[in-house]
Amino acid sequence: MSAIVASDLDRTLIYSAPALGLAMPDAEAPRLLCVEVYEHKPLSYMTETAAGLLAELAGKTTFVPTTTRTREQYGRIHLPGPEPEFAICANGGHLLVRGESDPDWQRTVAELLAAQCAPLDEIRAHLVRTADPAWLLKERVAEDLFAYLVVERPLLPDAWVKNLAGWADERGWTVSLQGRKIYAVPQPLTKSAAVAEVARRTGASEILAAGDSLLDADLLLAADRGWRPGHGELADAGWRAPHVTALEERGVAAGEEILRAFIRGVVPPGHAG
């Protein structure tokens, strides 16, 4: 049985300093490997143990980084192991094949969004019009596919997010709150659809997946087996599915445990090597 492994990156396999969740005494903290630099400063990390596990995994199966990041943001990440043949960016909007966005997939996505969703300009205008400057830090559009806000989280009213989610749902869009970012994403723009295309191209018979946020739920539901960390949007909501393991580990330790689970998943007991 051939499997592919599709995993979210931020707060699933890689972690910013505030998200590391290092609860142990400093002297007992794991050694960290920087995997992303932004504006000449280290930004994202894995433990050295996780880095070794990822390199091992990539040598055993098709590993597909699956992220909401834009292609430019993804390009800053340097993961251990060989360069992945496939990667998914912009929440499924771009399928990278050996580093280049696949034009056929781009056309497929564009046609789907035009047919099923309110246009991006309408959503963006509503975000800007209703956001309060008291808590809004930045407003951005990603790959001309979706929009997001960067906010002062402590000042953000829960009611505003709830109202936005209801308004967006009526127009075929999903809202996800992750850390300081509020994403508005077209509902047909999914990680699972892009991963299914990779599975089709590779002939994979099984999909293993991991993720921590609402935008990963469709990926986890579509997978044959999945894992979610003990932190994040899904954990906070108590989200579960029969074939998805809800891990106890939080922070960077969860990244290690997810990679161990992936390796066990692609190398059945008694077949290690």
Coordinates of all heavy atoms in Angstrom, one line a residue, residues 123-158:
I123 N -15.5 40.6 -0.3 CA -15.2 40.1 1.0 C -14.1 41.1 1.6 O -14.3 41.5 2.8 CB -14.6 38.7 0.9 CG1 -15.5 37.7 0.2 CG2 -14.2 38.2 2.3 CD1 -16.9 37.6 0.9
R124 N -13.2 41.5 0.9 CA -12.1 42.4 1.4 C -12.7 43.7 1.8 O -12.3 44.2 2.8 CB -11.1 42.5 0.3 CG -9.9 43.4 0.7 CD -8.9 43.6 -0.4 NE -7.7 44.3 0.0 CZ -6.8 44.7 -0.8 NH1 -6.9 44.5 -2.1 NH2 -5.7 45.4 -0.3
A125 N -13.6 44.2 1.0 CA -14.2 45.5 1.3 C -15.0 45.4 2.6 O -14.9 46.4 3.4 CB -15.2 46.0 0.2
H126 N -15.7 44.3 2.8 CA -16.4 44.2 4.1 C -15.5 44.1 5.3 O -15.7 44.7 6.3 CB -17.3 42.9 4.0 CG -18.1 42.7 5.2 ND1 -19.3 43.3 5.5 CD2 -17.9 41.9 6.3 CE1 -19.8 42.9 6.6 NE2 -19.0 42.0 7.1
L127 N -14.4 43.4 5.1 CA -13.4 43.2 6.2 C -12.9 44.6 6.6 O -12.8 45.0 7.8 CB -12.2 42.4 5.8 CG -12.5 40.9 5.7 CD1 -11.2 40.2 5.1 CD2 -12.8 40.3 7.0
V128 N -12.5 45.4 5.6 CA -11.9 46.7 5.9 C -12.9 47.7 6.5 O -12.6 48.4 7.4 CB -11.3 47.3 4.6 CG1 -10.8 48.7 4.8 CG2 -10.1 46.4 4.1
R129 N -14.1 47.6 6.0 CA -15.2 48.5 6.4 C -15.6 48.2 7.9 O -16.0 49.2 8.6 CB -16.4 48.4 5.5 CG -17.5 49.3 5.8 CD -18.6 49.3 4.7 NE -19.3 48.0 4.7 CZ -19.1 47.1 3.7 NH1 -18.3 47.4 2.6 NH2 -19.8 46.0 3.7
T130 N -15.6 46.9 8.3 CA -16.2 46.6 9.6 C -15.1 46.4 10.7 O -15.4 46.4 11.9 CB -17.0 45.3 9.5 OG1 -16.1 44.2 9.0 CG2 -18.2 45.5 8.6
A131 N -13.8 46.3 10.3 CA -12.8 46.2 11.3 C -12.5 47.5 12.0 O -12.6 48.6 11.4 CB -11.5 45.7 10.6
D132 N -12.2 47.4 13.3 CA -12.0 48.6 14.1 C -10.5 48.9 14.1 O -9.7 48.0 14.5 CB -12.5 48.3 15.6 CG -12.5 49.5 16.5 OD1 -11.7 50.4 16.2 OD2 -13.2 49.5 17.4
P133 N -10.2 50.1 13.8 CA -8.7 50.5 13.8 C -8.1 50.3 15.2 O -6.9 50.2 15.3 CB -8.7 52.0 13.4 CG -10.0 52.1 12.7 CD -11.0 51.2 13.3
A134 N -8.9 50.2 16.2 CA -8.3 50.0 17.6 C -7.6 48.7 17.7 O -6.7 48.5 18.5 CB -9.5 50.1 18.6
W135 N -8.1 47.7 16.9 CA -7.4 46.4 17.0 C -6.9 45.8 15.7 O -6.2 44.8 15.6 CB -8.3 45.3 17.6 CG -9.7 45.2 17.1 CD1 -10.8 45.7 17.7 CD2 -10.2 44.6 15.9 NE1 -12.0 45.5 17.0 CE2 -11.6 44.8 15.8 CE3 -9.6 44.0 14.8 CZ2 -12.4 44.4 14.8 CZ3 -10.3 43.5 13.8 CH2 -11.7 43.7 13.7
L136 N -7.1 46.5 14.6 CA -6.6 46.1 13.3 C -5.2 46.6 13.1 O -4.9 47.8 13.2 CB -7.5 46.6 12.2 CG -7.1 46.3 10.7 CD1 -7.0 44.8 10.5 CD2 -7.9 47.0 9.7
L137 N -4.3 45.7 12.8 CA -2.9 46.1 12.6 C -2.5 46.1 11.1 O -1.9 47.0 10.6 CB -1.9 45.1 13.3 CG -2.0 45.0 14.8 CD1 -1.1 43.9 15.3 CD2 -1.7 46.4 15.4
K138 N -3.0 45.1 10.3 CA -2.7 45.0 8.9 C -3.9 44.3 8.2 O -4.6 43.5 8.8 CB -1.4 44.2 8.6 CG -0.1 44.7 9.2 CD 1.0 43.7 9.0 CE 2.3 44.1 9.7 NZ 3.3 43.1 9.5
E139 N -4.0 44.6 6.9 CA -5.0 43.9 6.1 C -4.2 43.4 4.8 O -3.5 44.2 4.2 CB -6.1 44.8 5.7 CG -7.2 44.2 4.8 CD -7.0 44.5 3.3 OE1 -6.3 45.5 3.0 OE2 -7.4 43.7 2.5
R140 N -4.4 42.2 4.5 CA -3.6 41.6 3.4 C -4.4 40.7 2.5 O -5.4 40.1 2.9 CB -2.4 40.8 3.9 CG -1.4 41.6 4.7 CD -0.5 42.4 3.8 NE 0.6 43.1 4.5 CZ 0.5 44.3 5.0 NH1 -0.6 45.0 4.9 NH2 1.6 44.8 5.6
V141 N -4.0 40.6 1.2 CA -4.6 39.7 0.3 C -3.5 38.7 -0.1 O -2.4 39.1 -0.4 CB -5.2 40.4 -1.0 CG1 -5.5 39.4 -2.1 CG2 -6.4 41.2 -0.6
A142 N -3.8 37.4 -0.1 CA -2.8 36.4 -0.4 C -3.1 35.8 -1.8 O -4.2 35.2 -2.0 CB -2.9 35.3 0.6
E143 N -2.2 35.9 -2.7 CA -2.2 35.3 -4.0 C -3.5 35.6 -4.8 O -3.9 34.8 -5.7 CB -2.1 33.7 -3.9 CG -0.8 33.3 -3.1 CD 0.3 33.1 -4.1 OE1 0.3 33.6 -5.2 OE2 1.3 32.3 -3.7
D144 N -4.1 36.7 -4.5 CA -5.4 37.1 -5.2 C -6.4 36.0 -5.0 O -7.4 35.8 -5.8 CB -5.2 37.4 -6.6 CG -4.4 38.7 -6.9 OD1 -4.6 39.6 -6.1 OD2 -3.6 38.7 -7.8
L145 N -6.3 35.2 -3.9 CA -7.3 34.1 -3.6 C -8.1 34.3 -2.4 O -9.3 34.0 -2.3 CB -6.5 32.8 -3.5 CG -5.9 32.3 -4.8 CD1 -4.9 31.1 -4.6 CD2 -7.0 31.8 -5.8
F146 N -7.4 34.9 -1.3 CA -8.2 35.1 0.0 C -7.6 36.2 0.7 O -6.5 36.8 0.3 CB -8.1 33.8 0.8 CG -6.8 33.3 1.2 CD1 -6.2 33.8 2.4 CD2 -6.1 32.4 0.4 CE1 -4.9 33.3 2.8 CE2 -4.8 31.9 0.8 CZ -4.2 32.4 2.0
A147 N -8.2 36.6 1.8 CA -7.8 37.8 2.5 C -7.6 37.4 4.0 O -8.1 36.5 4.5 CB -8.9 38.9 2.4
Y148 N -6.8 38.2 4.7 CA -6.6 38.1 6.1 C -6.3 39.4 6.8 O -5.7 40.3 6.1 CB -5.6 37.0 6.4 CG -4.2 37.2 6.0 CD1 -3.3 37.8 6.9 CD2 -3.7 36.9 4.8 CE1 -1.9 38.1 6.6 CE2 -2.4 37.1 4.4 CZ -1.5 37.7 5.3 OH -0.2 37.9 5.0
L149 N -6.6 39.4 8.1 CA -6.3 40.6 8.9 C -5.3 40.1 10.0 O -5.4 39.0 10.5 CB -7.5 41.1 9.6 CG -8.8 41.5 8.7 CD1 -9.9 41.9 9.6 CD2 -8.4 42.5 7.7
V150 N -4.4 41.0 10.3 CA -3.5 40.9 11.5 C -4.1 41.8 12.6 O -4.2 43.0 12.3 CB -2.1 41.2 11.2 CG1 -1.2 40.9 12.4 CG2 -1.6 40.3 10.0
V151 N -4.3 41.2 13.7 CA -5.1 42.0 14.8 C -4.3 41.9 16.1 O -3.5 41.1 16.4 CB -6.5 41.5 14.9 CG1 -7.3 41.5 13.6 CG2 -6.5 40.0 15.5
E152 N -4.7 42.9 17.0 CA -4.3 42.8 18.4 C -5.3 41.9 19.1 O -6.5 42.3 19.4 CB -4.4 44.2 19.0 CG -3.3 45.1 18.6 CD -2.0 44.9 19.4 OE1 -1.9 43.8 20.1 OE2 -1.1 45.6 19.3
R153 N -4.9 40.7 19.3 CA -5.9 39.6 19.7 C -6.6 40.0 21.0 O -7.8 39.7 21.1 CB -5.1 38.3 19.8 CG -6.0 37.1 20.2 CD -6.9 36.7 19.1 NE -7.7 35.5 19.5 CZ -7.4 34.3 19.2 NH1 -6.3 34.0 18.5 NH2 -8.2 33.3 19.6
P154 N -5.9 40.5 22.0 CA -6.7 40.8 23.3 C -7.8 41.8 23.1 O -8.7 41.8 23.9 CB -5.6 41.4 24.2 CG -4.3 40.9 23.6 CD -4.5 40.8 22.2
L155 N -7.7 42.7 22.1 CA -8.7 43.7 21.9 C -9.8 43.2 20.9 O -10.8 43.9 20.7 CB -8.1 45.0 21.3 CG -7.0 45.6 22.2 CD1 -6.4 46.8 21.5 CD2 -7.5 46.0 23.5
L156 N -9.7 42.1 20.3 CA -10.6 41.6 19.2 C -11.9 41.1 19.9 O -11.8 40.1 20.7 CB -9.9 40.5 18.4 CG -10.8 39.9 17.3 CD1 -11.1 40.9 16.2 CD2 -10.1 38.7 16.8
P157 N -13.0 41.7 19.6 CA -14.3 41.2 20.1 C -14.7 39.8 19.5 O -14.7 39.7 18.3 CB -15.3 42.3 19.8 CG -14.5 43.4 19.3 CD -13.3 42.9 18.7
D158 N -15.1 38.9 20.4 CA -15.5 37.6 19.9 C -16.7 37.7 19.0 O -16.9 37.0 18.0 CB -15.8 36.7 21.1 CG -14.6 36.2 21.8 OD1 -13.5 36.3 21.3 OD2 -14.7 35.8 23.0

